[in-house]
Amino acid sequence: KRSVAIENYPGWIHSIFTRCSFLLTDASGLTGNQYFFGAEFVHPLRISGCTFKNQISEDSMAYPDRGYGILSLDADIYIYSAPDNPMDNEQDSIRPLFYKLAYGVYSMHSGVQSSMHISDAYFNNNMKGAYLSGFTGSSFALITKSAFEIPNSTYLNVPATYGLYLDHCSGYTIEANEFYSENETSDGYGLIVNESGPYDNEIYNNSFHDLLYGSQAQGCNRYSYPHIGGLCYHCNDFYENANDIFVISDAAPGAPDQ
């Protein structure tokens, strides 16, 4: 089941979705993994102030089956907040919301020019908040001013949970986000950076708190010689985590997969 699917649209589409609510309330007749919004080989799409929410109880639908908010391949997507009243810009904005899903956003990139921008979004109790793969060079990922509330993996009955996963991405902007858990014990991964390569990348001015791992950097994220440059954590706040920054050569057993 899907709510919106836009595929192989030639040229520039300039589609805009504003203040829409995508809700899953009944699992009757559903098979396979569901997604609310699918985009493949299209650009650009603007999704502003939209809600993606699975309202079915966890007892009736396990977290790995709770679907995707946005699923995309080589699509140019911009996820922003929207004014509550378009005629009054001084009113509070409606933030994009991804709630109790398997994945809030799952976006893959194979080399064509396309970007993923997420700003002022709220990822609330998703098994995996946002997974981005292959965004490099002019096709970059920008994640700013967003909140990732990460649930307890034991409660969800899954191996691990995370807020944001950057897989073979480079040239990204990750700035002014909050990664946190409200569990009684530190749990979950805030940000995972996997194989960003020998390039100068920066994680800047984010906060990580009450997590099992604030951020985990794994694989190659630096120059091989002379051991300078590469991934940099700059002006971030870490507090009340079991591990603030964890650096490993490869993903450890039990670490979240894609």
mmCIF file of all heavy atoms in Angstrom, residues 20-59:
data_model
loop_
_atom_site.group_PDB
_atom_site.id
_atom_site.type_symbol
_atom_site.label_atom_id
_atom_site.label_comp_id
_atom_site.label_asym_id
_atom_site.label_seq_id
_atom_site.Cartn_x
_atom_site.Cartn_y
_atom_site.Cartn_z
ATOM 1 N N CYS A 20 0.107 18.155 4.546
ATOM 2 C CA CYS A 20 -0.660 16.920 4.308
ATOM 3 C C CYS A 20 -0.405 15.941 5.458
ATOM 4 O O CYS A 20 0.690 15.905 6.025
ATOM 5 C CB CYS A 20 -0.238 16.269 2.992
ATOM 6 S SG CYS A 20 -0.445 17.309 1.530
ATOM 7 N N SER A 21 -1.406 15.153 5.782
ATOM 8 C CA SER A 21 -1.278 14.121 6.810
ATOM 9 C C SER A 21 -1.450 12.756 6.174
ATOM 10 O O SER A 21 -2.480 12.476 5.563
ATOM 11 C CB SER A 21 -2.325 14.320 7.916
ATOM 12 O OG SER A 21 -2.070 15.500 8.650
ATOM 13 N N PHE A 22 -0.427 11.926 6.325
ATOM 14 C CA PHE A 22 -0.457 10.559 5.830
ATOM 15 C C PHE A 22 -0.528 9.646 7.044
ATOM 16 O O PHE A 22 0.433 9.548 7.818
ATOM 17 C CB PHE A 22 0.793 10.266 5.005
ATOM 18 C CG PHE A 22 0.953 11.154 3.798
ATOM 19 C CD1 PHE A 22 1.676 12.341 3.892
ATOM 20 C CD2 PHE A 22 0.385 10.810 2.590
ATOM 21 C CE1 PHE A 22 1.838 13.159 2.783
ATOM 22 C CE2 PHE A 22 0.537 11.619 1.470
ATOM 23 C CZ PHE A 22 1.263 12.800 1.567
ATOM 24 N N LEU A 23 -1.665 8.975 7.221
ATOM 25 C CA LEU A 23 -1.914 8.200 8.434
ATOM 26 C C LEU A 23 -2.262 6.759 8.086
ATOM 27 O O LEU A 23 -3.060 6.512 7.184
ATOM 28 C CB LEU A 23 -3.076 8.814 9.233
ATOM 29 C CG LEU A 23 -3.012 10.317 9.512
ATOM 30 C CD1 LEU A 23 -4.285 10.774 10.200
ATOM 31 C CD2 LEU A 23 -1.787 10.659 10.336
ATOM 32 N N LEU A 24 -1.667 5.831 8.805
ATOM 33 C CA LEU A 24 -2.038 4.423 8.678
ATOM 34 C C LEU A 24 -2.789 4.038 9.943
ATOM 35 O O LEU A 24 -2.230 4.049 11.041
ATOM 36 C CB LEU A 24 -0.796 3.553 8.504
ATOM 37 C CG LEU A 24 -1.051 2.059 8.286
ATOM 38 C CD1 LEU A 24 -1.915 1.818 7.055
ATOM 39 C CD2 LEU A 24 0.266 1.295 8.174
ATOM 40 N N THR A 25 -4.063 3.703 9.782
ATOM 41 C CA THR A 25 -4.924 3.437 10.942
ATOM 42 C C THR A 25 -5.474 2.018 10.975
ATOM 43 O O THR A 25 -6.024 1.600 11.994
ATOM 44 C CB THR A 25 -6.109 4.417 10.942
ATOM 45 O OG1 THR A 25 -6.857 4.257 9.720
ATOM 46 C CG2 THR A 25 -5.618 5.853 11.043
ATOM 47 N N ASP A 26 -5.346 1.270 9.867
ATOM 48 C CA ASP A 26 -5.947 -0.063 9.795
ATOM 49 C C ASP A 26 -5.024 -0.971 8.994
ATOM 50 O O ASP A 26 -4.673 -0.663 7.844
ATOM 51 C CB ASP A 26 -7.325 0.023 9.135
ATOM 52 C CG ASP A 26 -8.071 -1.302 9.136
ATOM 53 O OD1 ASP A 26 -7.509 -2.298 9.636
ATOM 54 O OD2 ASP A 26 -9.205 -1.349 8.626
ATOM 55 N N ALA A 27 -4.631 -2.092 9.575
ATOM 56 C CA ALA A 27 -3.720 -3.019 8.908
ATOM 57 C C ALA A 27 -4.437 -4.081 8.096
ATOM 58 O O ALA A 27 -3.797 -4.954 7.513
ATOM 59 C CB ALA A 27 -2.829 -3.692 9.947
ATOM 60 N N SER A 28 -5.751 -4.022 8.013
ATOM 61 C CA SER A 28 -6.516 -5.054 7.303
ATOM 62 C C SER A 28 -6.105 -5.126 5.837
ATOM 63 O O SER A 28 -6.082 -4.112 5.128
ATOM 64 C CB SER A 28 -8.010 -4.757 7.389
ATOM 65 O OG SER A 28 -8.444 -4.719 8.728
ATOM 66 N N GLY A 29 -5.764 -6.327 5.392
ATOM 67 C CA GLY A 29 -5.454 -6.551 3.985
ATOM 68 C C GLY A 29 -4.077 -6.103 3.551
ATOM 69 O O GLY A 29 -3.741 -6.225 2.371
ATOM 70 N N LEU A 30 -3.245 -5.614 4.466
ATOM 71 C CA LEU A 30 -1.913 -5.148 4.094
ATOM 72 C C LEU A 30 -0.959 -6.327 3.962
ATOM 73 O O LEU A 30 -0.959 -7.242 4.780
ATOM 74 C CB LEU A 30 -1.374 -4.179 5.144
ATOM 75 C CG LEU A 30 -2.132 -2.861 5.319
ATOM 76 C CD1 LEU A 30 -1.429 -1.994 6.358
ATOM 77 C CD2 LEU A 30 -2.255 -2.113 4.002
ATOM 78 N N THR A 31 -0.133 -6.303 2.936
ATOM 79 C CA THR A 31 0.922 -7.296 2.754
ATOM 80 C C THR A 31 2.214 -6.573 2.408
ATOM 81 O O THR A 31 2.204 -5.538 1.758
ATOM 82 C CB THR A 31 0.577 -8.287 1.631
ATOM 83 O OG1 THR A 31 0.362 -7.560 0.406
ATOM 84 C CG2 THR A 31 -0.681 -9.079 1.964
ATOM 85 N N GLY A 32 3.334 -7.138 2.849
ATOM 86 C CA GLY A 32 4.615 -6.509 2.562
ATOM 87 C C GLY A 32 4.809 -5.245 3.375
ATOM 88 O O GLY A 32 4.001 -4.886 4.227
ATOM 89 N N ASN A 33 5.910 -4.549 3.092
ATOM 90 C CA ASN A 33 6.209 -3.308 3.808
ATOM 91 C C ASN A 33 5.602 -2.135 3.056
ATOM 92 O O ASN A 33 5.714 -2.026 1.840
ATOM 93 C CB ASN A 33 7.718 -3.124 3.966
ATOM 94 C CG ASN A 33 8.068 -2.601 5.340
ATOM 95 O OD1 ASN A 33 7.267 -1.916 5.958
ATOM 96 N ND2 ASN A 33 9.271 -2.921 5.813
ATOM 97 N N GLN A 34 4.998 -1.232 3.782
ATOM 98 C CA GLN A 34 4.240 -0.142 3.198
ATOM 99 C C GLN A 34 5.086 1.137 3.167
ATOM 100 O O GLN A 34 6.049 1.279 3.917
ATOM 101 C CB GLN A 34 2.967 0.125 4.014
ATOM 102 C CG GLN A 34 2.279 -1.120 4.536
ATOM 103 C CD GLN A 34 1.864 -2.057 3.423
ATOM 104 O OE1 GLN A 34 1.304 -1.621 2.429
ATOM 105 N NE2 GLN A 34 2.143 -3.342 3.583
ATOM 106 N N TYR A 35 4.717 2.067 2.286
ATOM 107 C CA TYR A 35 5.299 3.400 2.360
ATOM 108 C C TYR A 35 4.241 4.427 2.003
ATOM 109 O O TYR A 35 3.338 4.182 1.215
ATOM 110 C CB TYR A 35 6.536 3.548 1.473
ATOM 111 C CG TYR A 35 6.322 3.340 -0.006
ATOM 112 C CD1 TYR A 35 5.905 4.389 -0.827
ATOM 113 C CD2 TYR A 35 6.565 2.105 -0.602
ATOM 114 C CE1 TYR A 35 5.727 4.211 -2.197
ATOM 115 C CE2 TYR A 35 6.395 1.913 -1.964
ATOM 116 C CZ TYR A 35 5.983 2.973 -2.756
ATOM 117 O OH TYR A 35 5.811 2.790 -4.104
ATOM 118 N N PHE A 36 4.375 5.595 2.621
ATOM 119 C CA PHE A 36 3.422 6.665 2.354
ATOM 120 C C PHE A 36 3.763 7.408 1.073
ATOM 121 O O PHE A 36 2.887 7.714 0.274
ATOM 122 C CB PHE A 36 3.413 7.669 3.516
ATOM 123 C CG PHE A 36 2.727 7.161 4.752
ATOM 124 C CD1 PHE A 36 3.415 7.045 5.946
ATOM 125 C CD2 PHE A 36 1.389 6.815 4.737
ATOM 126 C CE1 PHE A 36 2.789 6.595 7.093
ATOM 127 C CE2 PHE A 36 0.750 6.361 5.879
ATOM 128 C CZ PHE A 36 1.454 6.260 7.061
ATOM 129 N N PHE A 37 5.051 7.719 0.879
ATOM 130 C CA PHE A 37 5.452 8.584 -0.227
ATOM 131 C C PHE A 37 6.658 7.966 -0.911
ATOM 132 O O PHE A 37 7.714 7.793 -0.298
ATOM 133 C CB PHE A 37 5.812 9.977 0.314
ATOM 134 C CG PHE A 37 5.849 11.061 -0.722
ATOM 135 C CD1 PHE A 37 4.868 12.029 -0.763
ATOM 136 C CD2 PHE A 37 6.862 11.106 -1.661
ATOM 137 C CE1 PHE A 37 4.900 13.043 -1.722
ATOM 138 C CE2 PHE A 37 6.898 12.095 -2.628
ATOM 139 C CZ PHE A 37 5.921 13.071 -2.655
ATOM 140 N N GLY A 38 6.511 7.600 -2.197
ATOM 141 C CA GLY A 38 7.600 7.018 -2.960
ATOM 142 C C GLY A 38 7.979 7.907 -4.129
ATOM 143 O O GLY A 38 7.109 8.456 -4.814
ATOM 144 N N ALA A 39 9.284 8.075 -4.360
ATOM 145 C CA ALA A 39 9.765 8.912 -5.468
ATOM 146 C C ALA A 39 10.986 8.253 -6.097
ATOM 147 O O ALA A 39 11.912 7.852 -5.390
ATOM 148 C CB ALA A 39 10.105 10.306 -4.975
ATOM 149 N N GLU A 40 10.965 8.155 -7.423
ATOM 150 C CA GLU A 40 12.070 7.512 -8.134
ATOM 151 C C GLU A 40 12.357 8.269 -9.426
ATOM 152 O O GLU A 40 11.475 8.481 -10.259
ATOM 153 C CB GLU A 40 11.698 6.059 -8.447
ATOM 154 C CG GLU A 40 12.800 5.265 -9.092
ATOM 155 C CD GLU A 40 12.436 3.797 -9.271
ATOM 156 O OE1 GLU A 40 11.397 3.375 -8.709
ATOM 157 O OE2 GLU A 40 13.186 3.078 -9.947
ATOM 158 N N PHE A 41 13.611 8.731 -9.559
ATOM 159 C CA PHE A 41 14.066 9.449 -10.757
ATOM 160 C C PHE A 41 13.185 10.662 -11.067
ATOM 161 O O PHE A 41 12.741 10.855 -12.197
ATOM 162 C CB PHE A 41 14.110 8.503 -11.965
ATOM 163 C CG PHE A 41 14.981 7.296 -11.762
ATOM 164 C CD1 PHE A 41 14.417 6.034 -11.707
ATOM 165 C CD2 PHE A 41 16.352 7.418 -11.603
ATOM 166 C CE1 PHE A 41 15.206 4.912 -11.506
ATOM 167 C CE2 PHE A 41 17.152 6.305 -11.401
ATOM 168 C CZ PHE A 41 16.584 5.044 -11.350
ATOM 169 N N VAL A 42 12.947 11.488 -10.055
ATOM 170 C CA VAL A 42 12.183 12.726 -10.250
ATOM 171 C C VAL A 42 12.863 13.851 -9.469
ATOM 172 O O VAL A 42 13.543 13.619 -8.477
ATOM 173 C CB VAL A 42 10.717 12.590 -9.768
ATOM 174 C CG1 VAL A 42 9.951 11.614 -10.628
ATOM 175 C CG2 VAL A 42 10.658 12.185 -8.308
ATOM 176 N N HIS A 43 12.640 15.099 -9.937
ATOM 177 C CA HIS A 43 13.179 16.256 -9.229
ATOM 178 C C HIS A 43 12.515 17.535 -9.768
ATOM 179 O O HIS A 43 12.123 17.581 -10.929
ATOM 180 C CB HIS A 43 14.697 16.334 -9.403
ATOM 181 C CG HIS A 43 15.157 16.411 -10.839
ATOM 182 N ND1 HIS A 43 15.359 17.593 -11.501
ATOM 183 C CD2 HIS A 43 15.438 15.443 -11.749
ATOM 184 C CE1 HIS A 43 15.758 17.363 -12.752
ATOM 185 N NE2 HIS A 43 15.804 16.051 -12.921
ATOM 186 N N PRO A 44 12.406 18.558 -8.906
ATOM 187 C CA PRO A 44 12.510 18.476 -7.452
ATOM 188 C C PRO A 44 11.125 18.284 -6.823
ATOM 189 O O PRO A 44 10.103 18.619 -7.408
ATOM 190 C CB PRO A 44 13.070 19.851 -7.082
ATOM 191 C CG PRO A 44 12.470 20.767 -8.108
ATOM 192 C CD PRO A 44 12.321 19.944 -9.376
ATOM 193 N N LEU A 45 11.108 17.765 -5.604
ATOM 194 C CA LEU A 45 9.877 17.605 -4.833
ATOM 195 C C LEU A 45 10.026 18.375 -3.527
ATOM 196 O O LEU A 45 11.027 18.227 -2.829
ATOM 197 C CB LEU A 45 9.615 16.129 -4.507
ATOM 198 C CG LEU A 45 9.439 15.163 -5.679
ATOM 199 C CD1 LEU A 45 9.396 13.738 -5.166
ATOM 200 C CD2 LEU A 45 8.181 15.486 -6.441
ATOM 201 N N ARG A 46 9.030 19.174 -3.201
ATOM 202 C CA ARG A 46 9.043 19.902 -1.929
ATOM 203 C C ARG A 46 7.912 19.352 -1.054
ATOM 204 O O ARG A 46 6.748 19.344 -1.463
ATOM 205 C CB ARG A 46 8.855 21.399 -2.150
ATOM 206 C CG ARG A 46 8.975 22.207 -0.855
ATOM 207 C CD ARG A 46 8.749 23.693 -1.110
ATOM 208 N NE ARG A 46 8.824 24.447 0.128
ATOM 209 C CZ ARG A 46 9.848 25.207 0.497
ATOM 210 N NH1 ARG A 46 10.899 25.293 -0.302
ATOM 211 N NH2 ARG A 46 9.839 25.869 1.637
ATOM 212 N N ILE A 47 8.276 18.895 0.137
ATOM 213 C CA ILE A 47 7.325 18.295 1.080
ATOM 214 C C ILE A 47 7.400 19.127 2.356
ATOM 215 O O ILE A 47 8.368 19.025 3.120
ATOM 216 C CB ILE A 47 7.668 16.821 1.334
ATOM 217 C CG1 ILE A 47 7.699 16.047 0.008
ATOM 218 C CG2 ILE A 47 6.677 16.190 2.290
ATOM 219 C CD1 ILE A 47 8.243 14.639 0.113
ATOM 220 N N SER A 48 6.395 19.953 2.586
ATOM 221 C CA SER A 48 6.464 20.948 3.661
ATOM 222 C C SER A 48 5.365 20.731 4.697
ATOM 223 O O SER A 48 4.185 20.646 4.351
ATOM 224 C CB SER A 48 6.336 22.363 3.081
ATOM 225 O OG SER A 48 7.350 22.628 2.143
ATOM 226 N N GLY A 49 5.765 20.661 5.953
ATOM 227 C CA GLY A 49 4.806 20.579 7.043
ATOM 228 C C GLY A 49 3.914 19.355 7.000
ATOM 229 O O GLY A 49 2.785 19.395 7.487
ATOM 230 N N CYS A 50 4.402 18.243 6.469
ATOM 231 C CA CYS A 50 3.582 17.034 6.327
ATOM 232 C C CYS A 50 3.840 16.058 7.479
ATOM 233 O O CYS A 50 4.924 16.022 8.060
ATOM 234 C CB CYS A 50 3.868 16.342 5.000
ATOM 235 S SG CYS A 50 3.363 17.299 3.542
ATOM 236 N N THR A 51 2.815 15.273 7.785
ATOM 237 C CA THR A 51 2.876 14.278 8.848
ATOM 238 C C THR A 51 2.812 12.882 8.253
ATOM 239 O O THR A 51 1.962 12.602 7.396
ATOM 240 C CB THR A 51 1.707 14.479 9.829
ATOM 241 O OG1 THR A 51 1.889 15.707 10.534
ATOM 242 C CG2 THR A 51 1.630 13.335 10.827
ATOM 243 N N PHE A 52 3.715 12.002 8.711
ATOM 244 C CA PHE A 52 3.738 10.601 8.305
ATOM 245 C C PHE A 52 3.665 9.778 9.583
ATOM 246 O O PHE A 52 4.633 9.708 10.345
ATOM 247 C CB PHE A 52 5.016 10.285 7.530
ATOM 248 C CG PHE A 52 5.212 11.140 6.311
ATOM 249 C CD1 PHE A 52 5.824 12.388 6.413
ATOM 250 C CD2 PHE A 52 4.778 10.721 5.068
ATOM 251 C CE1 PHE A 52 6.008 13.181 5.296
ATOM 252 C CE2 PHE A 52 4.952 11.507 3.939
ATOM 253 C CZ PHE A 52 5.571 12.744 4.057
ATOM 254 N N LYS A 53 2.513 9.158 9.825
ATOM 255 C CA LYS A 53 2.270 8.563 11.140
ATOM 256 C C LYS A 53 1.602 7.193 11.004
ATOM 257 O O LYS A 53 0.621 7.026 10.291
ATOM 258 C CB LYS A 53 1.383 9.492 11.960
ATOM 259 C CG LYS A 53 1.100 9.013 13.373
ATOM 260 C CD LYS A 53 0.137 9.946 14.100
ATOM 261 C CE LYS A 53 0.719 11.312 14.363
ATOM 262 N NZ LYS A 53 -0.166 12.115 15.243
ATOM 263 N N ASN A 54 2.177 6.222 11.710
ATOM 264 C CA ASN A 54 1.553 4.911 11.839
ATOM 265 C C ASN A 54 0.842 4.875 13.190
ATOM 266 O O ASN A 54 1.481 4.879 14.241
ATOM 267 C CB ASN A 54 2.602 3.805 11.751
ATOM 268 C CG ASN A 54 1.988 2.425 11.664
ATOM 269 O OD1 ASN A 54 0.930 2.164 12.232
ATOM 270 N ND2 ASN A 54 2.647 1.514 10.947
ATOM 271 N N GLN A 55 -0.492 4.832 13.154
ATOM 272 C CA GLN A 55 -1.292 4.890 14.371
ATOM 273 C C GLN A 55 -1.743 3.521 14.867
ATOM 274 O O GLN A 55 -2.478 3.430 15.845
ATOM 275 C CB GLN A 55 -2.511 5.793 14.146
ATOM 276 C CG GLN A 55 -2.142 7.248 13.890
ATOM 277 C CD GLN A 55 -3.357 8.139 13.720
ATOM 278 O OE1 GLN A 55 -4.318 7.765 13.037
ATOM 279 N NE2 GLN A 55 -3.322 9.317 14.313
ATOM 280 N N ILE A 56 -1.297 2.460 14.199
ATOM 281 C CA ILE A 56 -1.639 1.111 14.630
ATOM 282 C C ILE A 56 -0.787 0.754 15.851
ATOM 283 O O ILE A 56 0.400 1.089 15.915
ATOM 284 C CB ILE A 56 -1.413 0.113 13.483
ATOM 285 C CG1 ILE A 56 -2.304 0.479 12.288
ATOM 286 C CG2 ILE A 56 -1.682 -1.309 13.937
ATOM 287 C CD1 ILE A 56 -2.002 -0.308 11.044
ATOM 288 N N SER A 57 -1.365 0.088 16.816
ATOM 289 C CA SER A 57 -0.633 -0.234 18.037
ATOM 290 C C SER A 57 0.529 -1.171 17.731
ATOM 291 O O SER A 57 0.488 -1.972 16.790
ATOM 292 C CB SER A 57 -1.571 -0.877 19.061
ATOM 293 O OG SER A 57 -1.901 -2.194 18.662
ATOM 294 N N GLU A 58 1.570 -1.065 18.570
ATOM 295 C CA GLU A 58 2.735 -1.921 18.397
ATOM 296 C C GLU A 58 2.398 -3.389 18.621
ATOM 297 O O GLU A 58 3.052 -4.274 18.082
ATOM 298 C CB GLU A 58 3.847 -1.490 19.350
ATOM 299 C CG GLU A 58 4.414 -0.107 19.083
ATOM 300 C CD GLU A 58 3.669 0.973 19.855
ATOM 301 O OE1 GLU A 58 2.443 0.822 20.077
ATOM 302 O OE2 GLU A 58 4.303 1.970 20.242
ATOM 303 N N ASP A 59 1.372 -3.678 19.404
ATOM 304 C CA ASP A 59 0.956 -5.060 19.631
ATOM 305 C C ASP A 59 0.380 -5.685 18.365
ATOM 306 O O ASP A 59 0.476 -6.898 18.155
ATOM 307 C CB ASP A 59 -0.090 -5.124 20.747
ATOM 308 C CG ASP A 59 0.482 -4.722 22.101
ATOM 309 O OD1 ASP A 59 1.698 -4.873 22.285
ATOM 310 O OD2 ASP A 59 -0.297 -4.248 22.956
#
